[in-house]
Amino acid sequence: MLRDSLDAVRSVLREVRPELKIYVNAVPEDFVSPSFYVYSEPVKEERLTKRIMRGVTVWHIQYFPKQLESNIVDSFDQIEMSDNVRRAFSSRNYLRSPKGEIYTILSVEGGPEEDTVHIQVTLEGQWLAVASTDSPPTNTELMKKVHLKEELSR
């Protein structure tokens, strides 16, 4: 779920500003500004039914605005990008990943901070649970033999 939903988030950011770099997990010291940095919180998973799992993850999107010649943040770029990113996620009910998986958008929060923009996007996904290999296979023939011996010994 995590990698697939990351691809869905990155595809929306490419719609907003396709020419910008998108850093994932870490921002290098020589990062280029303007750019995006995307990281997640751990996925919270729960079993809905015997066969269906549900996962919720929060993606943090940080935008580093362009700098003016005086080395201060371009506030207009910061505010405009905040609006554009929030609108790009808020205008949809769900995201579709490149693999075709669908993630429901539960919430979009955040906006401009001191020198950056910080937006949180909470996504929910569902998938079929993997069959458990922990339970021993049932051997019905062996069970029939045991029951037959019990009946004969009575």
Side-chain angles (χ1 to χ4, degrees):
M1 173 187 178
L2 203 55
R3 173 60 194 254
D4 200 49
S5 65
L6 169 63
D7 291 341
V9 167
R10 290 191 316 183
S11 67
V12 173
L13 293 176
R14 283 191 199 101
E15 288 175 17
V16 174
R17 292 282 298 273
E19 75 279 7
L20 295 185
K21 278 196 160 292
I22 301 172
Y23 299 103
V24 179
N25 294 329
V27 180
E29 286 183 29
D30 60 342
F31 77 96
V32 179
S33 178
S35 59
F36 292 108
Y37 168 49
V38 179
Y39 62 97
S40 73
E41 294 178 10
V43 177
K44 296 175 186 124
E45 294 181 354
E46 68 177 319
R47 186 175 293 276
L48 295 179
T49 67
K50 185 175 179 180
R51 296 196 54 209
I52 299 175
M53 296 291 293
R54 171 186 184 258
V56 175
T57 188
V58 177
W59 284 103
H60 296 270
I61 302 165
Q62 202 152 6
Y63 173 68
F64 299 103
K66 62 183 173 183
Q67 302 276 323
L68 298 173
E69 290 178 16
S70 57
N71 280 339
I72 61 170
V73 169
D74 183 342
S75 296
F76 292 111
D77 179 50
Q78 182 183 21
I79 292 167
E80 181 182 9
M81 187 56 70
S82 174
D83 290 345
N84 290 344
V85 171
R86 285 183 57 88
R87 191 177 307 114
F89 286 99
S90 297
S91 65
R92 316 164 189 241
N93 294 323
Y94 65 91
L95 298 181
R96 185 180 300 272
S97 75
K99 289 183 179 178
E101 296 294 323
I102 294 176
Y103 299 95
T104 305
I105 298 174
L106 300 179
S107 68
V108 179
E109 302 170 4
E113 292 182 348
E114 289 181 26
D115 291 344
T116 64
V117 171
H118 182 251
I119 308 282
Q120 286 182 197
V121 179
T122 306
L123 300 178
E124 174 192 61
Q126 294 183 9
W127 61 91
L128 291 176
V130 177
S132 174
T133 58
D134 297 339
S135 59
T138 58
N139 188 339
T140 56
E141 286 303 312
L142 181 60
M143 288 179 160
K144 287 179 186 176
K145 288 180 184 178
V146 169
H147 289 297
L148 181 63
K149 284 182 181 178
E150 286 177 358
E151 288 176 14
L152 292 175
S153 64
R154 288 185 192 168

